[in-house]
Amino acid sequence: MKPTIEPVAWNNGSLRLLDQTRLPQEEAYLDVDDYRDVATAIRKLRVRGAPLIGIAAAYGLVLAARAANAGSVDELLPLLRTAAEELAATRPTAVNLRWALEQVLAAAQGAATPQEAQERLLAAAQRLHREDAAASERIGRYGAGLLTPGSAVLTHCNTGSLAAGGIGTALGVIRTAWADGKLSRVYVTETRPLLQGSRLTMWELARDGIPATLIADGAAGLLMRRGQITAVIVGADRIAANGDVANKVGTYPLAVLARENGVRFYVAAPTSTIDLSTVSGEDIPIEERPAGEVTAFAGRSVAPDGVEVANPAFDVTPHRCVTAIVTENGVAAEPYLDSLARASRAGVAARG
Ligand code: MRU
């Protein structure tokens, strides 16, 4: 399946980013040749979604190497490490970001010249990009296999081509299930406060002609109670070794509602989202974002001035609420400690 959107593209020595903050009104691209601008784009959610920020950051390191003008590899490597730290600090929850930077940095080690290091970095970033797209395809296949014909699925946030290297994770499953004739409809939560569901997922589904219904976040319970939802399928920003899942804030309430109403709750993510060094969800750092994202809507204030705000960008769903986790290496289920370790090991073996 070929994705029709290219939100991150290496383009003759600079990085082209689709500015997602301007969707759906405008399809505007930014050409970036300074890694600091990549960091800003990630922080401001112009580029977003766990796998995609890893890919963008990997290309960011290529830009850092090109700008460094280093006389030797020994001079270049510390500069790259500083750039990698800066990029990694932009968003703390998605483990894909750090993972991708480590992969690309490792490729630069052992280069004989700064020129060779640059070439290796670019090759590594492009490989990572390609492999993530391939992972989405496989996730789509495994995930669609879990759905029965006539399924109506509910998804949260955006996990599509705007969030990953290819067709996407949870949205990749939805696309594949639609192509297989298994899907009757997709329900999409708007995903307050930044509306990734209404702005981005609805945009992607409309382009693909997949029947989709937008709902307010708070409407999910009623739909599940009425029996309108066969399964919930979401992405992840970090999956702990025990199967606890950090994803866009609002995911946990959906999982609890699904459990209460006997609806299956699936998580779709590449193995680069699994962090075996994080024991449980308690240890996952949760990004806190600016108050203005909650107190203003489309540039208009929707709360009295000076109110106190909490704006966690993610929440953690305990593994007991998760029916299965779909990865590119197969479907993991309880006990997650074993099944996720197996899926991760298969990923490392495949990457070589
Ligand atoms: O804050 P965002 O828009 O980057 O959050 C994105 C999500 O929570 C996605 O569900 C997750 O990154 C998986 S994307 C394939």
PDB file of all heavy atoms in Angstrom, residues 110-143:
ATOM      1  N   GLY A 110      33.265   5.205  13.750  1.00  0.00           N
ATOM      2  CA  GLY A 110      34.112   4.366  12.895  1.00  0.00           C
ATOM      3  C   GLY A 110      34.315   4.937  11.505  1.00  0.00           C
ATOM      4  O   GLY A 110      35.034   4.346  10.695  1.00  0.00           O
ATOM      5  N   ALA A 111      33.688   6.082  11.179  1.00  0.00           N
ATOM      6  CA  ALA A 111      33.943   6.701   9.866  1.00  0.00           C
ATOM      7  C   ALA A 111      35.362   7.262   9.873  1.00  0.00           C
ATOM      8  O   ALA A 111      35.865   7.708  10.902  1.00  0.00           O
ATOM      9  CB  ALA A 111      32.931   7.813   9.610  1.00  0.00           C
ATOM     10  N   ALA A 112      36.004   7.244   8.707  1.00  0.00           N
ATOM     11  CA  ALA A 112      37.398   7.707   8.644  1.00  0.00           C
ATOM     12  C   ALA A 112      37.475   9.232   8.486  1.00  0.00           C
ATOM     13  O   ALA A 112      38.429   9.859   8.949  1.00  0.00           O
ATOM     14  CB  ALA A 112      38.107   7.005   7.486  1.00  0.00           C
ATOM     15  N   THR A 113      36.483   9.820   7.852  1.00  0.00           N
ATOM     16  CA  THR A 113      36.515  11.272   7.608  1.00  0.00           C
ATOM     17  C   THR A 113      35.132  11.862   7.917  1.00  0.00           C
ATOM     18  O   THR A 113      34.124  11.139   7.891  1.00  0.00           O
ATOM     19  CB  THR A 113      36.812  11.569   6.122  1.00  0.00           C
ATOM     20  OG1 THR A 113      35.721  11.022   5.339  1.00  0.00           O
ATOM     21  CG2 THR A 113      38.124  10.969   5.656  1.00  0.00           C
ATOM     22  N   PRO A 114      35.060  13.181   8.157  1.00  0.00           N
ATOM     23  CA  PRO A 114      33.740  13.809   8.379  1.00  0.00           C
ATOM     24  C   PRO A 114      32.811  13.587   7.184  1.00  0.00           C
ATOM     25  O   PRO A 114      31.608  13.380   7.356  1.00  0.00           O
ATOM     26  CB  PRO A 114      34.077  15.294   8.542  1.00  0.00           C
ATOM     27  CG  PRO A 114      35.485  15.315   9.023  1.00  0.00           C
ATOM     28  CD  PRO A 114      36.155  14.146   8.371  1.00  0.00           C
ATOM     29  N   GLN A 115      33.368  13.586   5.980  1.00  0.00           N
ATOM     30  CA  GLN A 115      32.554  13.347   4.781  1.00  0.00           C
ATOM     31  C   GLN A 115      31.923  11.951   4.824  1.00  0.00           C
ATOM     32  O   GLN A 115      30.734  11.778   4.582  1.00  0.00           O
ATOM     33  CB  GLN A 115      33.447  13.518   3.533  1.00  0.00           C
ATOM     34  CG  GLN A 115      32.744  13.303   2.203  1.00  0.00           C
ATOM     35  CD  GLN A 115      31.542  14.247   2.010  1.00  0.00           C
ATOM     36  OE1 GLN A 115      31.584  15.395   2.447  1.00  0.00           O
ATOM     37  NE2 GLN A 115      30.485  13.735   1.383  1.00  0.00           N
ATOM     38  N   GLU A 116      32.761  10.982   5.193  1.00  0.00           N
ATOM     39  CA  GLU A 116      32.221   9.619   5.281  1.00  0.00           C
ATOM     40  C   GLU A 116      31.168   9.525   6.389  1.00  0.00           C
ATOM     41  O   GLU A 116      30.144   8.848   6.233  1.00  0.00           O
ATOM     42  CB  GLU A 116      33.362   8.619   5.555  1.00  0.00           C
ATOM     43  CG  GLU A 116      32.885   7.191   5.403  1.00  0.00           C
ATOM     44  CD  GLU A 116      33.849   6.152   5.975  1.00  0.00           C
ATOM     45  OE1 GLU A 116      35.048   6.438   6.125  1.00  0.00           O
ATOM     46  OE2 GLU A 116      33.359   5.043   6.287  1.00  0.00           O
ATOM     47  N   ALA A 117      31.406  10.250   7.499  1.00  0.00           N
ATOM     48  CA  ALA A 117      30.424  10.238   8.601  1.00  0.00           C
ATOM     49  C   ALA A 117      29.089  10.785   8.110  1.00  0.00           C
ATOM     50  O   ALA A 117      28.029  10.222   8.394  1.00  0.00           O
ATOM     51  CB  ALA A 117      30.948  11.050   9.776  1.00  0.00           C
ATOM     52  N   GLN A 118      29.140  11.867   7.359  1.00  0.00           N
ATOM     53  CA  GLN A 118      27.902  12.456   6.806  1.00  0.00           C
ATOM     54  C   GLN A 118      27.162  11.459   5.929  1.00  0.00           C
ATOM     55  O   GLN A 118      25.942  11.321   6.011  1.00  0.00           O
ATOM     56  CB  GLN A 118      28.270  13.641   5.905  1.00  0.00           C
ATOM     57  CG  GLN A 118      28.241  14.972   6.580  1.00  0.00           C
ATOM     58  CD  GLN A 118      28.561  16.071   5.556  1.00  0.00           C
ATOM     59  OE1 GLN A 118      28.021  16.095   4.467  1.00  0.00           O
ATOM     60  NE2 GLN A 118      29.464  16.956   5.935  1.00  0.00           N
ATOM     61  N   GLU A 119      27.933  10.782   5.080  1.00  0.00           N
ATOM     62  CA  GLU A 119      27.300   9.803   4.170  1.00  0.00           C
ATOM     63  C   GLU A 119      26.652   8.669   4.969  1.00  0.00           C
ATOM     64  O   GLU A 119      25.548   8.235   4.673  1.00  0.00           O
ATOM     65  CB  GLU A 119      28.334   9.242   3.193  1.00  0.00           C
ATOM     66  CG  GLU A 119      28.661  10.236   2.088  1.00  0.00           C
ATOM     67  CD  GLU A 119      30.017   9.985   1.424  1.00  0.00           C
ATOM     68  OE1 GLU A 119      30.584   8.880   1.613  1.00  0.00           O
ATOM     69  OE2 GLU A 119      30.511  10.904   0.739  1.00  0.00           O
ATOM     70  N   ARG A 120      27.385   8.228   6.004  1.00  0.00           N
ATOM     71  CA  ARG A 120      26.842   7.129   6.827  1.00  0.00           C
ATOM     72  C   ARG A 120      25.580   7.571   7.567  1.00  0.00           C
ATOM     73  O   ARG A 120      24.637   6.790   7.723  1.00  0.00           O
ATOM     74  CB  ARG A 120      27.879   6.694   7.857  1.00  0.00           C
ATOM     75  CG  ARG A 120      29.012   5.881   7.281  1.00  0.00           C
ATOM     76  CD  ARG A 120      29.875   5.485   8.438  1.00  0.00           C
ATOM     77  NE  ARG A 120      31.000   4.693   8.053  1.00  0.00           N
ATOM     78  CZ  ARG A 120      31.538   3.761   8.841  1.00  0.00           C
ATOM     79  NH1 ARG A 120      31.029   3.543  10.032  1.00  0.00           N
ATOM     80  NH2 ARG A 120      32.572   3.081   8.460  1.00  0.00           N
ATOM     81  N   LEU A 121      25.605   8.816   8.067  1.00  0.00           N
ATOM     82  CA  LEU A 121      24.429   9.329   8.795  1.00  0.00           C
ATOM     83  C   LEU A 121      23.212   9.369   7.880  1.00  0.00           C
ATOM     84  O   LEU A 121      22.116   8.949   8.260  1.00  0.00           O
ATOM     85  CB  LEU A 121      24.705  10.742   9.330  1.00  0.00           C
ATOM     86  CG  LEU A 121      25.626  10.841  10.546  1.00  0.00           C
ATOM     87  CD1 LEU A 121      26.113  12.280  10.732  1.00  0.00           C
ATOM     88  CD2 LEU A 121      24.915  10.378  11.813  1.00  0.00           C
ATOM     89  N   LEU A 122      23.419   9.870   6.669  1.00  0.00           N
ATOM     90  CA  LEU A 122      22.292   9.970   5.732  1.00  0.00           C
ATOM     91  C   LEU A 122      21.774   8.580   5.367  1.00  0.00           C
ATOM     92  O   LEU A 122      20.557   8.349   5.376  1.00  0.00           O
ATOM     93  CB  LEU A 122      22.703  10.752   4.473  1.00  0.00           C
ATOM     94  CG  LEU A 122      21.602  10.891   3.420  1.00  0.00           C
ATOM     95  CD1 LEU A 122      20.363  11.576   3.989  1.00  0.00           C
ATOM     96  CD2 LEU A 122      22.102  11.652   2.190  1.00  0.00           C
ATOM     97  N   ALA A 123      22.706   7.673   5.100  1.00  0.00           N
ATOM     98  CA  ALA A 123      22.274   6.310   4.746  1.00  0.00           C
ATOM     99  C   ALA A 123      21.490   5.693   5.904  1.00  0.00           C
ATOM    100  O   ALA A 123      20.466   5.025   5.699  1.00  0.00           O
ATOM    101  CB  ALA A 123      23.488   5.452   4.396  1.00  0.00           C
ATOM    102  N   ALA A 124      21.955   5.954   7.151  1.00  0.00           N
ATOM    103  CA  ALA A 124      21.271   5.377   8.319  1.00  0.00           C
ATOM    104  C   ALA A 124      19.884   5.993   8.485  1.00  0.00           C
ATOM    105  O   ALA A 124      18.915   5.290   8.795  1.00  0.00           O
ATOM    106  CB  ALA A 124      22.108   5.586   9.575  1.00  0.00           C
ATOM    107  N   ALA A 125      19.772   7.305   8.289  1.00  0.00           N
ATOM    108  CA  ALA A 125      18.464   7.970   8.440  1.00  0.00           C
ATOM    109  C   ALA A 125      17.502   7.455   7.372  1.00  0.00           C
ATOM    110  O   ALA A 125      16.326   7.178   7.663  1.00  0.00           O
ATOM    111  CB  ALA A 125      18.623   9.487   8.339  1.00  0.00           C
ATOM    112  N   GLN A 126      17.996   7.292   6.157  1.00  0.00           N
ATOM    113  CA  GLN A 126      17.116   6.811   5.075  1.00  0.00           C
ATOM    114  C   GLN A 126      16.691   5.363   5.317  1.00  0.00           C
ATOM    115  O   GLN A 126      15.554   4.984   5.047  1.00  0.00           O
ATOM    116  CB  GLN A 126      17.813   6.977   3.722  1.00  0.00           C
ATOM    117  CG  GLN A 126      17.865   8.448   3.331  1.00  0.00           C
ATOM    118  CD  GLN A 126      18.655   8.732   2.074  1.00  0.00           C
ATOM    119  OE1 GLN A 126      19.673   8.077   1.819  1.00  0.00           O
ATOM    120  NE2 GLN A 126      18.222   9.720   1.305  1.00  0.00           N
ATOM    121  N   ARG A 127      17.612   4.591   5.872  1.00  0.00           N
ATOM    122  CA  ARG A 127      17.291   3.187   6.157  1.00  0.00           C
ATOM    123  C   ARG A 127      16.200   3.106   7.232  1.00  0.00           C
ATOM    124  O   ARG A 127      15.224   2.357   7.106  1.00  0.00           O
ATOM    125  CB  ARG A 127      18.575   2.477   6.605  1.00  0.00           C
ATOM    126  CG  ARG A 127      18.340   1.071   7.015  1.00  0.00           C
ATOM    127  CD  ARG A 127      19.622   0.314   7.290  1.00  0.00           C
ATOM    128  NE  ARG A 127      19.299  -0.954   7.913  1.00  0.00           N
ATOM    129  CZ  ARG A 127      20.124  -1.635   8.679  1.00  0.00           C
ATOM    130  NH1 ARG A 127      21.329  -1.200   8.911  1.00  0.00           N
ATOM    131  NH2 ARG A 127      19.755  -2.774   9.210  1.00  0.00           N
ATOM    132  N   LEU A 128      16.404   3.931   8.273  1.00  0.00           N
ATOM    133  CA  LEU A 128      15.426   3.968   9.364  1.00  0.00           C
ATOM    134  C   LEU A 128      14.031   4.349   8.839  1.00  0.00           C
ATOM    135  O   LEU A 128      13.016   3.774   9.219  1.00  0.00           O
ATOM    136  CB  LEU A 128      15.926   5.041  10.319  1.00  0.00           C
ATOM    137  CG  LEU A 128      15.571   4.990  11.758  1.00  0.00           C
ATOM    138  CD1 LEU A 128      16.855   5.033  12.576  1.00  0.00           C
ATOM    139  CD2 LEU A 128      14.730   6.191  12.100  1.00  0.00           C
ATOM    140  N   HIS A 129      14.019   5.335   7.951  1.00  0.00           N
ATOM    141  CA  HIS A 129      12.785   5.822   7.343  1.00  0.00           C
ATOM    142  C   HIS A 129      12.097   4.674   6.569  1.00  0.00           C
ATOM    143  O   HIS A 129      10.912   4.411   6.752  1.00  0.00           O
ATOM    144  CB  HIS A 129      13.153   6.988   6.405  1.00  0.00           C
ATOM    145  CG  HIS A 129      12.000   7.854   6.014  1.00  0.00           C
ATOM    146  ND1 HIS A 129      12.160   9.083   5.447  1.00  0.00           N
ATOM    147  CD2 HIS A 129      10.656   7.674   6.069  1.00  0.00           C
ATOM    148  CE1 HIS A 129      10.981   9.618   5.203  1.00  0.00           C
ATOM    149  NE2 HIS A 129      10.057   8.780   5.564  1.00  0.00           N
ATOM    150  N   ARG A 130      12.881   4.006   5.740  1.00  0.00           N
ATOM    151  CA  ARG A 130      12.361   2.881   4.941  1.00  0.00           C
ATOM    152  C   ARG A 130      11.856   1.751   5.839  1.00  0.00           C
ATOM    153  O   ARG A 130      10.796   1.182   5.623  1.00  0.00           O
ATOM    154  CB  ARG A 130      13.490   2.298   4.081  1.00  0.00           C
ATOM    155  CG  ARG A 130      13.627   2.873   2.695  1.00  0.00           C
ATOM    156  CD  ARG A 130      14.478   1.964   1.813  1.00  0.00           C
ATOM    157  NE  ARG A 130      15.686   1.442   2.413  1.00  0.00           N
ATOM    158  CZ  ARG A 130      16.856   2.073   2.462  1.00  0.00           C
ATOM    159  NH1 ARG A 130      16.982   3.281   1.938  1.00  0.00           N
ATOM    160  NH2 ARG A 130      17.916   1.513   3.030  1.00  0.00           N
ATOM    161  N   GLU A 131      12.657   1.446   6.874  1.00  0.00           N
ATOM    162  CA  GLU A 131      12.288   0.324   7.744  1.00  0.00           C
ATOM    163  C   GLU A 131      11.018   0.627   8.532  1.00  0.00           C
ATOM    164  O   GLU A 131      10.231  -0.273   8.817  1.00  0.00           O
ATOM    165  CB  GLU A 131      13.446  -0.020   8.690  1.00  0.00           C
ATOM    166  CG  GLU A 131      14.552  -0.727   7.957  1.00  0.00           C
ATOM    167  CD  GLU A 131      15.742  -1.082   8.836  1.00  0.00           C
ATOM    168  OE1 GLU A 131      15.773  -0.668  10.012  1.00  0.00           O
ATOM    169  OE2 GLU A 131      16.644  -1.758   8.321  1.00  0.00           O
ATOM    170  N   ASP A 132      10.843   1.893   8.882  1.00  0.00           N
ATOM    171  CA  ASP A 132       9.617   2.227   9.612  1.00  0.00           C
ATOM    172  C   ASP A 132       8.398   2.056   8.707  1.00  0.00           C
ATOM    173  O   ASP A 132       7.343   1.583   9.140  1.00  0.00           O
ATOM    174  CB  ASP A 132       9.679   3.649  10.178  1.00  0.00           C
ATOM    175  CG  ASP A 132       8.510   3.892  11.120  1.00  0.00           C
ATOM    176  OD1 ASP A 132       8.477   3.245  12.183  1.00  0.00           O
ATOM    177  OD2 ASP A 132       7.595   4.666  10.758  1.00  0.00           O
ATOM    178  N   ALA A 133       8.562   2.447   7.442  1.00  0.00           N
ATOM    179  CA  ALA A 133       7.458   2.268   6.480  1.00  0.00           C
ATOM    180  C   ALA A 133       7.139   0.777   6.333  1.00  0.00           C
ATOM    181  O   ALA A 133       5.963   0.371   6.318  1.00  0.00           O
ATOM    182  CB  ALA A 133       7.832   2.882   5.137  1.00  0.00           C
ATOM    183  N   ALA A 134       8.182  -0.039   6.259  1.00  0.00           N
ATOM    184  CA  ALA A 134       7.972  -1.490   6.118  1.00  0.00           C
ATOM    185  C   ALA A 134       7.303  -2.048   7.375  1.00  0.00           C
ATOM    186  O   ALA A 134       6.424  -2.926   7.303  1.00  0.00           O
ATOM    187  CB  ALA A 134       9.300  -2.185   5.865  1.00  0.00           C
ATOM    188  N   ALA A 135       7.690  -1.511   8.547  1.00  0.00           N
ATOM    189  CA  ALA A 135       7.088  -1.978   9.808  1.00  0.00           C
ATOM    190  C   ALA A 135       5.593  -1.668   9.803  1.00  0.00           C
ATOM    191  O   ALA A 135       4.768  -2.504  10.205  1.00  0.00           O
ATOM    192  CB  ALA A 135       7.778  -1.321  11.005  1.00  0.00           C
ATOM    193  N   SER A 136       5.228  -0.460   9.332  1.00  0.00           N
ATOM    194  CA  SER A 136       3.797  -0.094   9.284  1.00  0.00           C
ATOM    195  C   SER A 136       3.009  -1.089   8.426  1.00  0.00           C
ATOM    196  O   SER A 136       1.906  -1.498   8.795  1.00  0.00           O
ATOM    197  CB  SER A 136       3.621   1.314   8.704  1.00  0.00           C
ATOM    198  OG  SER A 136       3.945   2.298   9.656  1.00  0.00           O
ATOM    199  N   GLU A 137       3.579  -1.462   7.297  1.00  0.00           N
ATOM    200  CA  GLU A 137       2.893  -2.424   6.406  1.00  0.00           C
ATOM    201  C   GLU A 137       2.600  -3.724   7.144  1.00  0.00           C
ATOM    202  O   GLU A 137       1.501  -4.274   7.069  1.00  0.00           O
ATOM    203  CB  GLU A 137       3.784  -2.767   5.204  1.00  0.00           C
ATOM    204  CG  GLU A 137       3.899  -1.685   4.158  1.00  0.00           C
ATOM    205  CD  GLU A 137       2.632  -1.508   3.333  1.00  0.00           C
ATOM    206  OE1 GLU A 137       1.875  -2.492   3.179  1.00  0.00           O
ATOM    207  OE2 GLU A 137       2.410  -0.382   2.877  1.00  0.00           O
ATOM    208  N   ARG A 138       3.614  -4.204   7.861  1.00  0.00           N
ATOM    209  CA  ARG A 138       3.471  -5.493   8.554  1.00  0.00           C
ATOM    210  C   ARG A 138       2.492  -5.386   9.724  1.00  0.00           C
ATOM    211  O   ARG A 138       1.705  -6.296   9.981  1.00  0.00           O
ATOM    212  CB  ARG A 138       4.843  -5.980   9.039  1.00  0.00           C
ATOM    213  CG  ARG A 138       5.770  -6.339   7.877  1.00  0.00           C
ATOM    214  CD  ARG A 138       7.179  -6.610   8.380  1.00  0.00           C
ATOM    215  NE  ARG A 138       7.219  -7.723   9.317  1.00  0.00           N
ATOM    216  CZ  ARG A 138       7.478  -8.977   8.999  1.00  0.00           C
ATOM    217  NH1 ARG A 138       7.734  -9.277   7.746  1.00  0.00           N
ATOM    218  NH2 ARG A 138       7.495  -9.919   9.909  1.00  0.00           N
ATOM    219  N   ILE A 139       2.560  -4.246  10.423  1.00  0.00           N
ATOM    220  CA  ILE A 139       1.611  -4.005  11.523  1.00  0.00           C
ATOM    221  C   ILE A 139       0.189  -4.026  10.956  1.00  0.00           C
ATOM    222  O   ILE A 139      -0.733  -4.622  11.523  1.00  0.00           O
ATOM    223  CB  ILE A 139       1.917  -2.652  12.213  1.00  0.00           C
ATOM    224  CG1 ILE A 139       3.221  -2.746  13.010  1.00  0.00           C
ATOM    225  CG2 ILE A 139       0.761  -2.207  13.108  1.00  0.00           C
ATOM    226  CD1 ILE A 139       3.761  -1.411  13.503  1.00  0.00           C
ATOM    227  N   GLY A 140       0.025  -3.365   9.806  1.00  0.00           N
ATOM    228  CA  GLY A 140      -1.287  -3.321   9.156  1.00  0.00           C
ATOM    229  C   GLY A 140      -1.816  -4.713   8.891  1.00  0.00           C
ATOM    230  O   GLY A 140      -2.977  -5.032   9.167  1.00  0.00           O
ATOM    231  N   ARG A 141      -0.946  -5.563   8.375  1.00  0.00           N
ATOM    232  CA  ARG A 141      -1.332  -6.946   8.041  1.00  0.00           C
ATOM    233  C   ARG A 141      -1.738  -7.721   9.295  1.00  0.00           C
ATOM    234  O   ARG A 141      -2.792  -8.330   9.366  1.00  0.00           O
ATOM    235  CB  ARG A 141      -0.138  -7.646   7.426  1.00  0.00           C
ATOM    236  CG  ARG A 141      -0.014  -7.956   5.997  1.00  0.00           C
ATOM    237  CD  ARG A 141      -1.051  -8.775   5.291  1.00  0.00           C
ATOM    238  NE  ARG A 141      -1.724  -7.959   4.292  1.00  0.00           N
ATOM    239  CZ  ARG A 141      -3.037  -7.763   4.224  1.00  0.00           C
ATOM    240  NH1 ARG A 141      -3.854  -8.363   5.058  1.00  0.00           N
ATOM    241  NH2 ARG A 141      -3.572  -6.994   3.316  1.00  0.00           N
ATOM    242  N   TYR A 142      -0.844  -7.691  10.304  1.00  0.00           N
ATOM    243  CA  TYR A 142      -1.144  -8.440  11.541  1.00  0.00           C
ATOM    244  C   TYR A 142      -2.417  -7.911  12.200  1.00  0.00           C
ATOM    245  O   TYR A 142      -3.236  -8.675  12.710  1.00  0.00           O
ATOM    246  CB  TYR A 142       0.022  -8.337  12.535  1.00  0.00           C
ATOM    247  CG  TYR A 142       1.193  -9.224  12.212  1.00  0.00           C
ATOM    248  CD1 TYR A 142       2.462  -8.698  11.981  1.00  0.00           C
ATOM    249  CD2 TYR A 142       1.044 -10.612  12.181  1.00  0.00           C
ATOM    250  CE1 TYR A 142       3.549  -9.509  11.705  1.00  0.00           C
ATOM    251  CE2 TYR A 142       2.125 -11.442  11.905  1.00  0.00           C
ATOM    252  CZ  TYR A 142       3.378 -10.884  11.671  1.00  0.00           C
ATOM    253  OH  TYR A 142       4.437 -11.701  11.407  1.00  0.00           O
ATOM    254  N   GLY A 143      -2.552  -6.573  12.212  1.00  0.00           N
ATOM    255  CA  GLY A 143      -3.700  -5.971  12.900  1.00  0.00           C
ATOM    256  C   GLY A 143      -5.003  -6.285  12.192  1.00  0.00           C
ATOM    257  O   GLY A 143      -6.012  -6.616  12.841  1.00  0.00           O
TER     258      GLY A 143
END
